Amino acid sequence: MTIRYRNLGLFTAVILLAGCAQHREVPKLKNQVVELKQMLGTLTEQAIALERQNRLNQNSSNGVYLLPQANSAARLQSSVGELSVSLSQVKSEANGTQAILAIGTLSGQVLPGFTATLEWGQLDTTTGMPLTADALSQQIKSYDSLLPKNEQSFELRLSGVTPEQLGYIHLHSLTPVTSNAVPPTSQIKRKERQAAPFLGN
């Protein structure tokens, strides 16, 4: 009888300990579920943005569109060859948004000097199309380098929109240039309306 009571006590203790362990695991499991939901939400938004980016580029006859939320590079057939264009490090700054635009040749050949127009703005929340009426634009310039390279990065200053508002950028009108080692300058203007001058890379 003594042995039976002792076994029963041990069995009860094991059940209680198991219950306590499971109870401690519940908050951890809830946190993991929340994290998974957030990851799924982010991936869903990225997939939708990438689909929109691809659709815009399929229907574009001039230049290439990049949507920050897509977090994906796009190809551009240009007068200086087939290029890969990507946008990264999108973050807030005092007058709007700061980002890095990377442009490189897909063939690995030297990237020649060029000028291009960069336009940016918001997307229509219903259709996902660019709201071009209030878009801003600036010229970017890349000159032949003393050290040949197949990619160049541009530090962008995108005024008028926060990172949350920035729906797209549109790089177009890319034209080759032959000038050497000249510091690039940029100007910001509102479409069909001159605005304050802007200095950039």
Side-chain angles (χ1 to χ4, degrees):
M1 295 293 292
T2 303
I3 294 175
R4 289 181 180 177
Y5 283 128
R6 183 176 299 172
N7 290 341
L8 181 60
L10 288 173
F11 182 69
T12 303
V14 168
I15 293 176
L16 291 173
L17 289 173
C20 291
Q22 290 178 355
H23 188 69
R24 287 195 299 269
E25 288 294 319
V26 170
K28 182 179 178 180
L29 290 174
K30 286 183 177 179
N31 290 336
Q32 290 176 343
V33 170
V34 171
E35 291 176 0
L36 288 173
K37 285 183 177 179
Q38 291 174 344
M39 290 176 59
L40 181 59
T42 300
L43 291 173
T44 301
E45 291 176 358
Q46 183 175 339
I48 293 173
L50 182 57
E51 182 182 355
R52 288 177 174 174
Q53 176 176 294
N54 291 338
R55 191 186 319 121
L56 287 171
N57 287 324
Q58 287 171 0
N59 296 328
S60 174
S61 59
N62 182 20
V64 65
Y65 286 89
L66 289 175
L67 275 57
Q69 281 193 325
N71 194 29
S72 179
R75 292 189 176 193
L76 170 62
Q77 292 285 355
S78 74
S79 55
V80 298
E82 189 174 18
L83 305 176
S84 173
V85 186
S86 62
L87 190 68
S88 63
Q89 300 182 38
V90 180
K91 58 185 178 181
S92 178
E93 68 168 15
N95 297 321
T97 299
Q98 179 181 353
I100 300 294
L101 178 70
I103 301 175
T105 60
L106 286 172
S107 64
Q109 295 180 347
V110 174
L111 179 68
F114 64 87
T115 63
T117 299
L118 182 75
E119 176 187 308
W120 68 92
Q122 301 183 49
L123 293 176
D124 187 290
T125 54
T126 302
T127 65
M129 299 298 292
L131 297 173
T132 57
D134 294 323
L136 293 171
S137 67
Q138 73 179 71
Q139 295 296 118
I140 63 173
K141 299 180 181 180
S142 170
Y143 291 89
D144 291 336
S145 174
L146 297 177
L147 296 175
K149 53 189 176 182
N150 59 13
E151 182 177 289
Q152 182 168 353
S153 296
F154 298 84
E155 292 185 7
L156 303 179
R157 300 290 189 274
L158 308 176
S159 64
V161 291
T162 64
E164 294 75 21
Q165 294 171 330
L166 179 63
Y168 76 97
I169 68 166
H170 182 202
L171 182 73
H172 61 90
S173 304
L174 194 147
T175 306
V177 297
T178 56
S179 301
N180 292 323
V182 179
T185 58
S186 302
Q187 291 251 334
I188 289 185
K189 61 181 180 179
R190 188 172 295 278
K191 267 191 166 181
E192 300 179 354
R193 235 180 358 174
Q194 189 69 31
F198 173 82
L199 296 178
N201 294 329

